[in-house]
Amino acid sequence: MSTPPAQDRSAVQRVHEALLARNETVAAAESLTAGLFCASLASVPGASATLRGGAVVYATDLKTTLAGVSPELLAAHGPVSEPTAAALAEGIRSRCAATWGVGLTGVAGPDPVDGHAPGRVYLGLSDGLVTVVHELDLPGDRAAVRAAAVETAFRRLLARLGEHPLP
């Protein structure tokens, strides 16, 4: 795979450096971004120290199988929802034994999915104690929505890391 498209390289690099300084790691469960978050972080030299791994959970059943999202939660809220993003972040963090979990689910387009317009993204971030979900409405075509979702994930993770200073 070549370099990921249109990323804010500084945010990716800064997340890596912040995790490295804290001796922490991250894992991601990615639906609409299909591995782009992990690929972006892996493009940073030394990423093996901070990236535990991830799962592409594009198919709804894989959200359960690979990330541990309960079938009941999926049945009640659907694959594109705030509770699903939270469960993705929590599940992948636990399954990959990472400090941080990132869950990305949404609609890249061009068509709506389950009543959600293209550009609707739910980003879950979990540190094992607190899980926060951000609801995003991102403009553009498929590629733009996916790239913006990943860029936002790095920026929001960087902000969360800043909220927890080093001991």
Side-chain angles (χ1 to χ4, degrees):
M1 177 177 205
S2 63
T3 305
Q7 296 296 334
D8 178 347
R9 289 280 176 228
S10 64
V12 176
Q13 180 70 39
R14 287 172 35 218
V15 163
H16 169 70
E17 290 167 357
L19 289 169
L20 195 60
R22 301 161 65 94
N23 196 32
E24 294 181 350
T25 57
V26 66
E30 301 182 63
S31 186
L32 83 150
T33 53
L36 191 56
F37 179 91
C38 287
S40 297
L41 186 53
S43 71
V44 175
S48 61
T50 58
L51 176 61
R52 286 286 299 159
V56 175
V57 292
Y58 213 71
T60 300
D61 63 308
L62 293 181
K63 290 170 178 58
T64 296
T65 306
L66 299 178
V69 179
S70 79
E72 295 79 18
L73 184 145
L74 287 167
H77 300 283
V80 178
S81 68
E82 183 176 327
T84 298
L88 287 170
E90 292 163 358
I92 202 68
R93 187 197 65 74
S94 176
R95 288 184 177 215
C96 289
T99 313
W100 293 89
V102 175
L104 283 157
T105 187
V107 182
D111 300 317
V113 173
D114 295 335
H116 297 286
R120 171 59 52 93
V121 174
Y122 293 95
L123 162 64
L125 298 172
S126 179
D127 64 5
L129 298 173
V130 176
T131 300
V132 176
V133 177
H134 302 276
E135 180 180 285
L136 311 170
D137 287 306
L138 303 171
D141 63 8
R142 282 181 66 76
V145 168
R146 293 175 70 234
V150 171
E151 180 179 335
T152 302
F154 280 106
R155 289 180 182 277
R156 296 289 172 96
L157 178 55
L158 192 58
R160 284 285 306 271
L161 288 164
E163 292 171 6
H164 303 277
L166 286 166

